[in-house]
Amino acid sequence: MKPASRPVTLRSARFRAEREADWEKLEKILKRAEGGGPGRLTTTEMMELPRLYRAAISSLSVARATSLDKNLEVYLEALCARAYFFVYGSRTTLWERLSRFFLEDWPNAVQESGRAMLFAALCLFGGAAIAFVLFIQDPETFWLFRAGGFDMRTPEASTSYLRSTLYRDPGDVDINTMLTSFASQLFTHNAGIAILAFALGIAFGIPTVALLVFNGLFIGSFYALFWSRGLGDELTGWLFIHGVTELWAVVMAGAAGFVIATSVAFPGDRTRLAAARHAGHKATTLIMGAIVMLFVAALLEGFGRETINSDLIRYLIAGGTLVLWSLYFYAPRGGRR
Amino acid sequence: MSEARASPADHARRTARARGPFARELETPEGTSLTIRIASAGERSGAFLIDFIILIVMMYLGSWLFRLIFQGAGDAERIGYALFLLYIFVVRNFYFILFESGRRAATPGKRLLGTRVAMRDGTRLTANAVLARNLVREVEVFLPVYFFGALIASRTMGGGETAGIVAVLGVVWTGVFLLFPLFNRDRLRLGDLIAGTWVVHNPKPVLAAEMVQERADDPFAFTPAELNAYGIHELQVLEDILRQPQSDIRAAVAARIRKKIGRKHVEGESDEAFLRGYYAALRRHLEGGLALGKAKRHKFDG
């Protein structure tokens, strides 16, 4: 006995027919958006995107509950995921991002990482102090920490030569020297060290300690060499006109490494993964800040030091940068915090 | 004895399991879970290799261009050198960062392999995360390369015992970082771990045609008993078969279904039409069950 012939209609097929146009629209907008920059989308399309995305998400939920068309479900899932990635892609404008970084994120991260900063500073200046003391006892130790093979500023050099390296004959200075010095300082040496100090934090911070101490040793023995020739005051001006900023940046980069290291070594209540992630945000902020400071330091070194030969002005600039950075990082801020 | 209908989240978990070791669930801020596929180690390294080659070409072209402009220009040669250093710095450090913080969250290498960067917890990908994962790359990838170069140099040029030992230790130590993604389920490299990101497939939505055409009458008029022979699993296998191009398999499947439900092959009835008719009826039947809270998962179910 055959049942009466019924019309073939499917609620899920109707559902699809009703919504299909919206899905296709979303797909088209996404394709265009990913093909070019967001500038290619019209304002209407930008406004419609979130609505279409939410509609697709709700379609997916309905389809999961009521439709057995596998292709439809797979399609909606892919469409939603793609739209989701776009809607929740990085979105803030560069300007917003930058102003938030300088006004909030960076100073906050510095204030919150006091202990890591202190420890990094201890490594760097401790290394310097050790090398200094060693040199005073035995100048031969200088050779232990010497970095470059071509640097003539060694215990074998005459005092007058050492003095001459601290000042520039105004006739020698031109924009080329300044630019070359600026670029080579920043882009080959310092930023590399800073990034390394940060990235090595993942290995429980041990390589970061080594990197900081070694840099300290180098500075310390260098300082002792000039100091032993009665050039201590002059070197201080030469070094700290940019060194306040530069060493601060190196300490900050090291601190970023330690922030990561502590989170990995002592994750506390969180899993190691979650702890590393949480610390990662703070550490990246610190490292970005360190790179900004290194940029300033390279400017001071390349242009300031090459043109300013007066010890007094060098000291003033060094002191000025110290005060300004301290105020920027640690001065109490109005408003929330 | 049908199972109670599972929640959408359960559903996603089930499908995630069903779709192999690379499928993961991702919960959107709207509370819907989506199944995504993470990129395999091969895809990751392939993408990196492409980017690496692009980087090398860019650096090589840069050096050629700067030499062309500044060589023999006297004092300006040093400006050229300074600019070249700047160029190398920017290219090496910002290539990955700029591309990944863009709309597509992917470098050209990743785009070619259809992958992109996303946050593991489903939140918005931040500039900080992109920065973190790429700064760590310095240690993970470039440091091993550096030590490996040092190792080769110490072998070929004889840099002394210690240099060789340091280089070997360096390669081993940093090699651990390089191979790290192979030792975790989600193929995270250290940079991903710190940034809270992972690399996933950018899915390509393909919507095939609707299989069921509305029509005023059902020429087959299957009985409920005939439709109770199969469940959702079989329905979707049938869908797959019908979506594939024509083949002999249809005749075999049609014969099996006819046998199972005890229907005779009517003269002049095409297998294609029979299968489509049965598909439409079965889907309607099973979807009706879903609406009443009954899901017949497969033919042995309820």
Side-chain angles (χ1 to χ4, degrees), chain A residues 9 12 16 34 53 64 68 70-71 73 77 82 84 88 90 176 187 199 277 281 288, chain B residues 11 30 33 35 79 86 101 104 121-122 128 131 139 203 208 215 239-240 283-284 287:
Chain A
T9 53
S12 61
R16 169 178 166 161
E34 290 181 357
Y53 162 69
R64 275 179 183 157
L68 290 175
K70 196 167 78 178
N71 172 269
E73 198 187 320
E77 194 139 26
R82 204 172 179 110
Y84 156 80
Y88 289 96
S90 68
N176 287 340
F187 300 122
R277 219 213 107 183
H281 179 79
M288 278 196 288
Chain B
H11 180 93
E30 290 80 18
S33 55
T35 310
I79 294 193
L86 183 85
S101 53
R104 297 181 204 106
D121 61 3
N128 264 4
L131 207 76
V139 182
R215 46 191 300 175
E239 176 187 340
D240 280 343
R283 193 168 128 197
R284 181 195 163 94
E287 283 179 356

mmCIF file of all heavy atoms in Angstrom, chain A residues 9 12 16 34 53 64 68 70-71 73 77 82 84 88 90 176 187 199 277 281 288, chain B residues 11 30 33 35 79 86 101 104 121-122 128 131 139 203 208 215 239-240 283-284 287:
data_model
loop_
_atom_site.group_PDB
_atom_site.id
_atom_site.type_symbol
_atom_site.label_atom_id
_atom_site.label_comp_id
_atom_site.label_asym_id
_atom_site.label_seq_id
_atom_site.Cartn_x
_atom_site.Cartn_y
_atom_site.Cartn_z
ATOM 1 N N THR A 9 9.369 19.039 -0.324
ATOM 2 C CA THR A 9 9.936 20.320 0.127
ATOM 3 C C THR A 9 10.741 20.033 1.374
ATOM 4 O O THR A 9 10.387 19.192 2.168
ATOM 5 C CB THR A 9 8.849 21.340 0.488
ATOM 6 O OG1 THR A 9 7.970 20.729 1.426
ATOM 7 C CG2 THR A 9 8.102 21.809 -0.718
ATOM 8 N N SER A 12 15.196 22.670 5.297
ATOM 9 C CA SER A 12 16.599 23.090 5.225
ATOM 10 C C SER A 12 16.950 23.667 3.857
ATOM 11 O O SER A 12 17.776 24.558 3.739
ATOM 12 C CB SER A 12 17.519 21.937 5.572
ATOM 13 O OG SER A 12 17.350 20.880 4.653
ATOM 14 N N ARG A 16 18.155 27.466 3.170
ATOM 15 C CA ARG A 16 19.304 27.814 2.362
ATOM 16 C C ARG A 16 18.934 28.838 1.286
ATOM 17 O O ARG A 16 19.635 29.824 1.075
ATOM 18 C CB ARG A 16 19.871 26.561 1.710
ATOM 19 C CG ARG A 16 20.903 26.886 0.663
ATOM 20 C CD ARG A 16 21.502 25.651 0.054
ATOM 21 N NE ARG A 16 22.220 26.048 -1.152
ATOM 22 C CZ ARG A 16 23.139 25.307 -1.720
ATOM 23 N NH1 ARG A 16 23.461 24.137 -1.216
ATOM 24 N NH2 ARG A 16 23.737 25.722 -2.797
ATOM 25 N N GLU A 34 40.327 40.876 0.942
ATOM 26 C CA GLU A 34 41.616 40.225 1.080
ATOM 27 C C GLU A 34 42.480 40.413 -0.148
ATOM 28 O O GLU A 34 43.694 40.328 -0.074
ATOM 29 C CB GLU A 34 41.421 38.738 1.369
ATOM 30 C CG GLU A 34 40.855 38.538 2.759
ATOM 31 C CD GLU A 34 40.678 37.083 3.100
ATOM 32 O OE1 GLU A 34 40.939 36.236 2.237
ATOM 33 O OE2 GLU A 34 40.292 36.807 4.241
ATOM 34 N N TYR A 53 28.519 38.886 8.846
ATOM 35 C CA TYR A 53 29.276 37.883 9.604
ATOM 36 C C TYR A 53 28.390 37.246 10.662
ATOM 37 O O TYR A 53 28.324 36.036 10.791
ATOM 38 C CB TYR A 53 30.507 38.545 10.236
ATOM 39 C CG TYR A 53 31.127 37.749 11.371
ATOM 40 C CD1 TYR A 53 31.772 36.540 11.117
ATOM 41 C CD2 TYR A 53 31.067 38.210 12.683
ATOM 42 C CE1 TYR A 53 32.341 35.812 12.149
ATOM 43 C CE2 TYR A 53 31.636 37.485 13.720
ATOM 44 C CZ TYR A 53 32.266 36.288 13.446
ATOM 45 O OH TYR A 53 32.813 35.576 14.470
ATOM 46 N N ARG A 64 23.551 23.600 11.778
ATOM 47 C CA ARG A 64 24.014 22.474 12.593
ATOM 48 C C ARG A 64 22.839 21.776 13.274
ATOM 49 O O ARG A 64 22.850 20.560 13.447
ATOM 50 C CB ARG A 64 24.976 22.968 13.664
ATOM 51 C CG ARG A 64 26.387 23.067 13.159
ATOM 52 C CD ARG A 64 27.283 23.575 14.250
ATOM 53 N NE ARG A 64 28.628 23.734 13.756
ATOM 54 C CZ ARG A 64 29.512 24.548 14.304
ATOM 55 N NH1 ARG A 64 29.170 25.278 15.344
ATOM 56 N NH2 ARG A 64 30.722 24.637 13.821
ATOM 57 N N LEU A 68 20.936 18.515 7.332
ATOM 58 C CA LEU A 68 21.832 17.367 7.209
ATOM 59 C C LEU A 68 22.626 17.434 5.915
ATOM 60 O O LEU A 68 23.245 16.464 5.507
ATOM 61 C CB LEU A 68 21.024 16.068 7.285
ATOM 62 C CG LEU A 68 20.451 15.803 8.678
ATOM 63 C CD1 LEU A 68 19.575 14.573 8.669
ATOM 64 C CD2 LEU A 68 21.563 15.653 9.704
ATOM 65 N N LYS A 70 25.672 18.057 4.294
ATOM 66 C CA LYS A 70 27.029 18.164 4.805
ATOM 67 C C LYS A 70 27.798 19.288 4.118
ATOM 68 O O LYS A 70 28.511 20.054 4.755
ATOM 69 C CB LYS A 70 27.777 16.838 4.627
ATOM 70 C CG LYS A 70 29.027 16.786 5.464
ATOM 71 C CD LYS A 70 29.600 15.388 5.535
ATOM 72 C CE LYS A 70 30.350 15.062 4.255
ATOM 73 N NZ LYS A 70 30.967 13.737 4.287
ATOM 74 N N ASN A 71 27.634 19.355 2.798
ATOM 75 C CA ASN A 71 28.357 20.385 2.074
ATOM 76 C C ASN A 71 27.998 21.773 2.594
ATOM 77 O O ASN A 71 28.852 22.632 2.756
ATOM 78 C CB ASN A 71 28.052 20.288 0.582
ATOM 79 C CG ASN A 71 28.635 21.462 -0.185
ATOM 80 O OD1 ASN A 71 27.996 22.486 -0.380
ATOM 81 N ND2 ASN A 71 29.902 21.325 -0.566
ATOM 82 N N GLU A 73 27.043 22.630 5.576
ATOM 83 C CA GLU A 73 27.642 22.877 6.884
ATOM 84 C C GLU A 73 29.131 23.180 6.752
ATOM 85 O O GLU A 73 29.647 24.107 7.371
ATOM 86 C CB GLU A 73 27.417 21.658 7.775
ATOM 87 C CG GLU A 73 27.602 21.987 9.235
ATOM 88 C CD GLU A 73 27.548 20.738 10.103
ATOM 89 O OE1 GLU A 73 26.705 19.866 9.826
ATOM 90 O OE2 GLU A 73 28.363 20.645 11.025
ATOM 91 N N GLU A 77 30.840 26.688 7.709
ATOM 92 C CA GLU A 77 31.924 26.692 8.678
ATOM 93 C C GLU A 77 33.140 27.431 8.108
ATOM 94 O O GLU A 77 33.752 28.265 8.769
ATOM 95 C CB GLU A 77 32.276 25.253 9.037
ATOM 96 C CG GLU A 77 33.133 25.168 10.256
ATOM 97 C CD GLU A 77 32.704 24.010 11.148
ATOM 98 O OE1 GLU A 77 32.118 23.033 10.658
ATOM 99 O OE2 GLU A 77 32.954 24.117 12.343
ATOM 100 N N ARG A 82 36.485 32.194 7.849
ATOM 101 C CA ARG A 82 37.178 33.190 7.052
ATOM 102 C C ARG A 82 36.740 34.603 7.453
ATOM 103 O O ARG A 82 37.549 35.504 7.618
ATOM 104 C CB ARG A 82 36.906 32.948 5.572
ATOM 105 C CG ARG A 82 37.992 33.513 4.715
ATOM 106 C CD ARG A 82 37.846 33.124 3.265
ATOM 107 N NE ARG A 82 38.930 33.750 2.534
ATOM 108 C CZ ARG A 82 39.931 33.084 2.009
ATOM 109 N NH1 ARG A 82 39.992 31.785 2.116
ATOM 110 N NH2 ARG A 82 40.878 33.721 1.363
ATOM 111 N N TYR A 84 35.373 35.389 10.262
ATOM 112 C CA TYR A 84 35.814 35.615 11.632
ATOM 113 C C TYR A 84 37.240 36.142 11.646
ATOM 114 O O TYR A 84 37.555 37.108 12.338
ATOM 115 C CB TYR A 84 35.719 34.310 12.423
ATOM 116 C CG TYR A 84 36.616 34.254 13.597
ATOM 117 C CD1 TYR A 84 36.264 34.880 14.783
ATOM 118 C CD2 TYR A 84 37.850 33.614 13.521
ATOM 119 C CE1 TYR A 84 37.118 34.865 15.867
ATOM 120 C CE2 TYR A 84 38.695 33.592 14.591
ATOM 121 C CZ TYR A 84 38.336 34.223 15.761
ATOM 122 O OH TYR A 84 39.191 34.217 16.823
ATOM 123 N N TYR A 88 37.858 39.739 13.108
ATOM 124 C CA TYR A 88 38.694 39.831 14.301
ATOM 125 C C TYR A 88 40.174 39.891 13.952
ATOM 126 O O TYR A 88 41.011 39.530 14.752
ATOM 127 C CB TYR A 88 38.402 38.670 15.254
ATOM 128 C CG TYR A 88 37.058 38.823 15.909
ATOM 129 C CD1 TYR A 88 35.937 38.189 15.406
ATOM 130 C CD2 TYR A 88 36.915 39.653 17.007
ATOM 131 C CE1 TYR A 88 34.702 38.369 15.984
ATOM 132 C CE2 TYR A 88 35.680 39.830 17.588
ATOM 133 C CZ TYR A 88 34.581 39.187 17.071
ATOM 134 O OH TYR A 88 33.367 39.372 17.654
ATOM 135 N N SER A 90 43.689 42.031 12.936
ATOM 136 C CA SER A 90 44.203 43.214 13.628
ATOM 137 C C SER A 90 43.585 44.436 12.967
ATOM 138 O O SER A 90 43.500 44.539 11.766
ATOM 139 C CB SER A 90 45.725 43.251 13.598
ATOM 140 O OG SER A 90 46.166 43.457 12.294
ATOM 141 N N ASN A 176 78.201 62.681 6.301
ATOM 142 C CA ASN A 176 78.466 61.269 6.005
ATOM 143 C C ASN A 176 78.905 60.500 7.236
ATOM 144 O O ASN A 176 78.402 59.410 7.511
ATOM 145 C CB ASN A 176 79.583 61.155 4.969
ATOM 146 C CG ASN A 176 79.096 61.553 3.614
ATOM 147 O OD1 ASN A 176 77.902 61.552 3.375
ATOM 148 N ND2 ASN A 176 80.003 61.925 2.738
ATOM 149 N N PHE A 187 71.730 49.892 13.537
ATOM 150 C CA PHE A 187 71.112 48.808 12.779
ATOM 151 C C PHE A 187 71.944 47.553 12.707
ATOM 152 O O PHE A 187 71.493 46.544 12.226
ATOM 153 C CB PHE A 187 70.752 49.307 11.390
ATOM 154 C CG PHE A 187 69.798 50.441 11.459
ATOM 155 C CD1 PHE A 187 70.099 51.655 10.914
ATOM 156 C CD2 PHE A 187 68.606 50.287 12.137
ATOM 157 C CE1 PHE A 187 69.216 52.707 11.008
ATOM 158 C CE2 PHE A 187 67.726 51.340 12.236
ATOM 159 C CZ PHE A 187 68.038 52.552 11.672
ATOM 160 N N ALA A 199 64.889 37.704 23.204
ATOM 161 C CA ALA A 199 64.508 36.404 22.668
ATOM 162 C C ALA A 199 65.162 35.267 23.439
ATOM 163 O O ALA A 199 64.597 34.188 23.557
ATOM 164 C CB ALA A 199 64.886 36.330 21.191
ATOM 165 N N ARG A 277 52.545 33.374 27.635
ATOM 166 C CA ARG A 277 51.772 34.256 26.779
ATOM 167 C C ARG A 277 51.489 35.581 27.450
ATOM 168 O O ARG A 277 51.609 36.640 26.869
ATOM 169 C CB ARG A 277 50.448 33.565 26.459
ATOM 170 C CG ARG A 277 50.030 33.790 25.068
ATOM 171 C CD ARG A 277 48.560 33.841 24.990
ATOM 172 N NE ARG A 277 48.149 35.197 24.765
ATOM 173 C CZ ARG A 277 46.893 35.540 24.720
ATOM 174 N NH1 ARG A 277 45.962 34.662 24.917
ATOM 175 N NH2 ARG A 277 46.572 36.794 24.505
ATOM 176 N N HIS A 281 53.239 39.617 26.322
ATOM 177 C CA HIS A 281 52.689 40.926 25.992
ATOM 178 C C HIS A 281 53.521 42.037 26.634
ATOM 179 O O HIS A 281 53.925 42.993 25.976
ATOM 180 C CB HIS A 281 51.243 41.010 26.467
ATOM 181 C CG HIS A 281 50.620 42.330 26.195
ATOM 182 N ND1 HIS A 281 50.147 42.663 24.957
ATOM 183 C CD2 HIS A 281 50.446 43.407 26.980
ATOM 184 C CE1 HIS A 281 49.683 43.893 24.994
ATOM 185 N NE2 HIS A 281 49.838 44.367 26.218
ATOM 186 N N MET A 288 59.888 46.746 22.356
ATOM 187 C CA MET A 288 59.595 47.811 21.388
ATOM 188 C C MET A 288 60.103 49.142 21.921
ATOM 189 O O MET A 288 60.702 49.936 21.201
ATOM 190 C CB MET A 288 58.090 47.898 21.136
ATOM 191 C CG MET A 288 57.597 46.883 20.146
ATOM 192 S SD MET A 288 55.957 47.329 19.539
ATOM 193 C CE MET A 288 54.950 46.989 20.948
ATOM 194 N N HIS B 11 28.863 19.003 19.006
ATOM 195 C CA HIS B 11 28.862 18.725 17.585
ATOM 196 C C HIS B 11 30.209 19.080 16.979
ATOM 197 O O HIS B 11 30.801 18.287 16.260
ATOM 198 C CB HIS B 11 27.756 19.542 16.934
ATOM 199 C CG HIS B 11 27.647 19.344 15.473
ATOM 200 N ND1 HIS B 11 26.799 18.413 14.926
ATOM 201 C CD2 HIS B 11 28.298 19.929 14.458
ATOM 202 C CE1 HIS B 11 26.920 18.443 13.614
ATOM 203 N NE2 HIS B 11 27.830 19.356 13.313
ATOM 204 N N GLU B 30 31.290 35.202 19.730
ATOM 205 C CA GLU B 30 29.832 35.053 19.727
ATOM 206 C C GLU B 30 29.407 33.745 20.374
ATOM 207 O O GLU B 30 28.219 33.467 20.502
ATOM 208 C CB GLU B 30 29.283 35.096 18.290
ATOM 209 C CG GLU B 30 29.356 36.451 17.622
ATOM 210 C CD GLU B 30 30.744 36.733 17.090
ATOM 211 O OE1 GLU B 30 31.516 35.784 16.931
ATOM 212 O OE2 GLU B 30 31.066 37.915 16.861
ATOM 213 N N SER B 33 31.344 27.622 18.049
ATOM 214 C CA SER B 33 32.667 27.057 17.806
ATOM 215 C C SER B 33 32.817 26.711 16.339
ATOM 216 O O SER B 33 31.897 26.214 15.688
ATOM 217 C CB SER B 33 32.920 25.855 18.696
ATOM 218 O OG SER B 33 31.900 24.932 18.511
ATOM 219 N N THR B 35 35.357 24.888 13.373
ATOM 220 C CA THR B 35 36.449 23.943 13.200
ATOM 221 C C THR B 35 37.454 24.547 12.240
ATOM 222 O O THR B 35 37.091 24.965 11.149
ATOM 223 C CB THR B 35 35.932 22.618 12.622
ATOM 224 O OG1 THR B 35 34.819 22.214 13.397
ATOM 225 C CG2 THR B 35 37.003 21.565 12.690
ATOM 226 N N ILE B 79 77.183 57.442 2.437
ATOM 227 C CA ILE B 79 75.736 57.585 2.661
ATOM 228 C C ILE B 79 75.023 56.359 2.129
ATOM 229 O O ILE B 79 74.145 55.784 2.763
ATOM 230 C CB ILE B 79 75.189 58.853 1.956
ATOM 231 C CG1 ILE B 79 75.782 60.095 2.594
ATOM 232 C CG2 ILE B 79 73.668 58.871 1.999
ATOM 233 C CD1 ILE B 79 75.102 61.367 2.217
ATOM 234 N N LEU B 86 70.519 50.409 6.720
ATOM 235 C CA LEU B 86 69.154 50.699 7.156
ATOM 236 C C LEU B 86 68.166 49.795 6.421
ATOM 237 O O LEU B 86 67.258 49.222 7.006
ATOM 238 C CB LEU B 86 68.842 52.165 6.868
ATOM 239 C CG LEU B 86 67.479 52.664 7.320
ATOM 240 C CD1 LEU B 86 67.550 53.077 8.770
ATOM 241 C CD2 LEU B 86 67.009 53.833 6.480
ATOM 242 N N SER B 101 50.922 41.745 10.274
ATOM 243 C CA SER B 101 49.983 42.633 10.954
ATOM 244 C C SER B 101 48.996 43.240 9.974
ATOM 245 O O SER B 101 48.143 44.024 10.349
ATOM 246 C CB SER B 101 50.728 43.705 11.751
ATOM 247 O OG SER B 101 51.643 44.362 10.921
ATOM 248 N N ARG B 104 45.650 40.275 5.936
ATOM 249 C CA ARG B 104 45.630 38.839 5.668
ATOM 250 C C ARG B 104 46.371 38.060 6.733
ATOM 251 O O ARG B 104 46.334 36.840 6.746
ATOM 252 C CB ARG B 104 46.282 38.557 4.324
ATOM 253 C CG ARG B 104 45.537 39.185 3.184
ATOM 254 C CD ARG B 104 46.225 38.839 1.883
ATOM 255 N NE ARG B 104 45.895 39.832 0.906
ATOM 256 C CZ ARG B 104 46.718 40.755 0.485
ATOM 257 N NH1 ARG B 104 47.946 40.816 0.967
ATOM 258 N NH2 ARG B 104 46.340 41.637 -0.404
ATOM 259 N N ASP B 121 43.388 31.722 21.367
ATOM 260 C CA ASP B 121 42.161 31.787 22.162
ATOM 261 C C ASP B 121 41.001 32.417 21.395
ATOM 262 O O ASP B 121 39.950 32.687 21.969
ATOM 263 C CB ASP B 121 42.403 32.543 23.470
ATOM 264 C CG ASP B 121 42.846 33.974 23.231
ATOM 265 O OD1 ASP B 121 42.902 34.380 22.050
ATOM 266 O OD2 ASP B 121 43.138 34.684 24.200
ATOM 267 N N GLY B 122 41.200 32.665 20.108
ATOM 268 C CA GLY B 122 40.095 33.149 19.297
ATOM 269 C C GLY B 122 39.857 34.644 19.370
ATOM 270 O O GLY B 122 38.933 35.150 18.747
ATOM 271 N N ASN B 128 51.024 43.497 18.999
ATOM 272 C CA ASN B 128 52.010 42.989 19.950
ATOM 273 C C ASN B 128 52.325 41.520 19.713
ATOM 274 O O ASN B 128 53.470 41.104 19.782
ATOM 275 C CB ASN B 128 51.476 43.148 21.374
ATOM 276 C CG ASN B 128 51.981 44.402 22.023
ATOM 277 O OD1 ASN B 128 52.666 45.190 21.378
ATOM 278 N ND2 ASN B 128 51.660 44.589 23.276
ATOM 279 N N LEU B 131 54.415 41.064 16.693
ATOM 280 C CA LEU B 131 55.780 41.495 16.984
ATOM 281 C C LEU B 131 56.520 40.439 17.785
ATOM 282 O O LEU B 131 57.655 40.072 17.472
ATOM 283 C CB LEU B 131 55.719 42.804 17.768
ATOM 284 C CG LEU B 131 56.922 43.683 17.594
ATOM 285 C CD1 LEU B 131 56.859 44.355 16.251
ATOM 286 C CD2 LEU B 131 56.978 44.697 18.698
ATOM 287 N N VAL B 139 65.963 34.184 17.368
ATOM 288 C CA VAL B 139 66.687 33.118 18.084
ATOM 289 C C VAL B 139 66.412 31.771 17.456
ATOM 290 O O VAL B 139 67.287 30.932 17.322
ATOM 291 C CB VAL B 139 66.238 33.066 19.551
ATOM 292 C CG1 VAL B 139 67.019 32.013 20.289
ATOM 293 C CG2 VAL B 139 66.434 34.399 20.188
ATOM 294 N N PRO B 203 40.431 29.002 5.507
ATOM 295 C CA PRO B 203 39.538 28.101 4.787
ATOM 296 C C PRO B 203 38.965 28.727 3.528
ATOM 297 O O PRO B 203 38.748 29.932 3.454
ATOM 298 C CB PRO B 203 38.432 27.833 5.805
ATOM 299 C CG PRO B 203 38.477 28.977 6.733
ATOM 300 C CD PRO B 203 39.877 29.493 6.761
ATOM 301 N N ALA B 208 28.422 24.037 -2.908
ATOM 302 C CA ALA B 208 27.940 23.268 -4.055
ATOM 303 C C ALA B 208 26.436 23.492 -4.204
ATOM 304 O O ALA B 208 25.785 24.048 -3.322
ATOM 305 C CB ALA B 208 28.240 21.792 -3.850
ATOM 306 N N ARG B 215 9.654 19.929 -5.750
ATOM 307 C CA ARG B 215 8.738 19.501 -6.796
ATOM 308 C C ARG B 215 7.400 19.162 -6.160
ATOM 309 O O ARG B 215 7.304 18.896 -4.959
ATOM 310 C CB ARG B 215 9.308 18.341 -7.584
ATOM 311 C CG ARG B 215 9.900 17.247 -6.703
ATOM 312 C CD ARG B 215 10.672 16.272 -7.524
ATOM 313 N NE ARG B 215 9.791 15.649 -8.502
ATOM 314 C CZ ARG B 215 10.246 14.813 -9.422
ATOM 315 N NH1 ARG B 215 11.529 14.537 -9.488
ATOM 316 N NH2 ARG B 215 9.428 14.261 -10.279
ATOM 317 N N GLU B 239 25.372 11.579 -0.046
ATOM 318 C CA GLU B 239 25.563 12.941 -0.568
ATOM 319 C C GLU B 239 26.916 13.049 -1.274
ATOM 320 O O GLU B 239 27.006 13.573 -2.390
ATOM 321 C CB GLU B 239 25.486 13.952 0.588
ATOM 322 C CG GLU B 239 25.760 15.389 0.152
ATOM 323 C CD GLU B 239 25.859 16.361 1.325
ATOM 324 O OE1 GLU B 239 25.362 16.039 2.423
ATOM 325 O OE2 GLU B 239 26.450 17.440 1.128
ATOM 326 N N ASP B 240 27.959 12.527 -0.612
ATOM 327 C CA ASP B 240 29.289 12.559 -1.219
ATOM 328 C C ASP B 240 29.289 11.878 -2.578
ATOM 329 O O ASP B 240 29.843 12.394 -3.551
ATOM 330 C CB ASP B 240 30.305 11.854 -0.312
ATOM 331 C CG ASP B 240 30.754 12.756 0.824
ATOM 332 O OD1 ASP B 240 30.534 13.985 0.701
ATOM 333 O OD2 ASP B 240 31.309 12.242 1.817
ATOM 334 N N ARG B 283 16.617 12.592 3.647
ATOM 335 C CA ARG B 283 17.015 13.811 4.338
ATOM 336 C C ARG B 283 15.813 14.453 5.006
ATOM 337 O O ARG B 283 15.891 14.892 6.150
ATOM 338 C CB ARG B 283 17.677 14.776 3.351
ATOM 339 C CG ARG B 283 18.392 15.903 4.088
ATOM 340 C CD ARG B 283 19.273 16.693 3.155
ATOM 341 N NE ARG B 283 18.960 18.116 3.270
ATOM 342 C CZ ARG B 283 19.327 19.010 2.376
ATOM 343 N NH1 ARG B 283 19.985 18.641 1.279
ATOM 344 N NH2 ARG B 283 19.023 20.263 2.545
ATOM 345 N N ARG B 284 14.725 14.473 4.284
ATOM 346 C CA ARG B 284 13.506 15.049 4.842
ATOM 347 C C ARG B 284 13.080 14.293 6.088
ATOM 348 O O ARG B 284 12.756 14.882 7.118
ATOM 349 C CB ARG B 284 12.418 14.976 3.769
ATOM 350 C CG ARG B 284 11.115 15.537 4.171
ATOM 351 C CD ARG B 284 10.069 15.061 3.181
ATOM 352 N NE ARG B 284 8.771 15.255 3.756
ATOM 353 C CZ ARG B 284 8.033 16.344 3.539
ATOM 354 N NH1 ARG B 284 8.476 17.277 2.745
ATOM 355 N NH2 ARG B 284 6.869 16.470 4.104
ATOM 356 N N GLU B 287 15.734 14.927 8.905
ATOM 357 C CA GLU B 287 15.668 16.298 9.407
ATOM 358 C C GLU B 287 14.404 16.510 10.233
ATOM 359 O O GLU B 287 14.398 17.251 11.206
ATOM 360 C CB GLU B 287 15.750 17.305 8.258
ATOM 361 C CG GLU B 287 17.186 17.464 7.745
ATOM 362 C CD GLU B 287 17.316 18.448 6.589
ATOM 363 O OE1 GLU B 287 16.292 18.976 6.111
ATOM 364 O OE2 GLU B 287 18.457 18.685 6.174
#
